[in-house]
Amino acid sequence: MGMGSAVETLCGQAYGAQKYEMLGIYFQRSTIILSITGIFITLISIFTKPILKLLGQSNEIASAAALFVHGLIPQIYTFQFIYIVRSPRCKHTWSGFSFQAFSGLMEFFKLSAASAVMICLESWYYQIILLVAGLLHDPKLALDSLSIW
């Protein structure tokens, strides 16, 4: 969701500058970036349990975390499907797929990643605490103490 929100800033600027054709280009760039990111996240989700075990988590915690992460994948692809279905339909903004969408992908990715970090930062600190708690002597007790938050 954070990566998709990066397009809002650029589209607002393009609309204000009356460069309506750029709305479609930005949409296409965002779709490309979100598709590549979705594939990467899917691969991480497949290997969540082995990655967590490699980081020193117990089998029980790694299994529970993997189950949680696997549940997120349909949400990610549902969001991307909704995003693509809401494609621009105005003839001034969407004149078909353009190869111009492939130019400037790295800059667009940087903006998307920064947007994602801003939106995710609040939940990341909590998840890091949970990850570190799993390394403690009695992780269940530590996680139970966090549940009052």
Side-chain angles (χ1 to χ4, degrees):
M1 224 160 109
M3 293 187 82
S5 71
V7 78
E8 293 173 12
T9 303
L10 295 173
C11 284
Q13 292 174 355
Y15 185 81
Q18 296 181 350
K19 295 184 178 183
Y20 303 119
E21 71 281 353
M22 287 307 294
L23 294 171
I25 300 298
Y26 290 147
F27 171 77
Q28 292 171 33
R29 283 183 189 159
S30 184
T31 302
I32 292 166
I33 295 293
L34 287 173
S35 297
I36 292 169
T37 305
I39 291 168
F40 180 70
I41 289 173
T42 300
L43 290 174
I44 289 176
S45 110
I46 290 169
F47 297 107
T48 298
K49 186 175 177 180
I51 291 170
L52 290 174
K53 289 179 80 173
L54 187 66
L55 291 172
Q57 298 295 326
S58 70
N59 189 42
E60 183 181 2
I61 290 176
S63 297
L67 208 65
F68 175 76
V69 171
H70 290 196
L72 294 178
I73 297 303
Q75 293 175 14
I76 290 169
Y77 284 109
T78 300
F79 173 74
Q80 184 164 353
F81 176 75
I82 290 169
Y83 188 76
I84 290 171
V85 167
R86 289 182 6 192
S87 65
R89 302 204 186 276
C90 176
K91 64 182 176 182
H92 299 295
T93 61
W94 184 261
S95 57
F97 195 79
S98 169
F99 285 104
Q100 189 179 0
F102 289 99
S103 66
L105 276 179
M106 186 51 79
E107 291 80 16
F108 197 85
F109 175 76
K110 289 177 185 177
L111 180 63
S112 294
S115 295
V117 169
M118 288 187 323
I119 289 179
C120 294
L121 202 53
E122 185 177 336
S123 72
W124 283 357
Y125 82 87
Y126 187 72
Q127 292 171 2
I128 289 170
I129 289 173
L130 292 177
L131 184 65
V132 172
L135 297 174
L136 296 174
H137 177 67
D138 190 2
K140 285 187 177 184
L141 180 62
L143 293 175
D144 284 344
S145 69
L146 285 174
S147 66
I148 62 168
W149 291 89

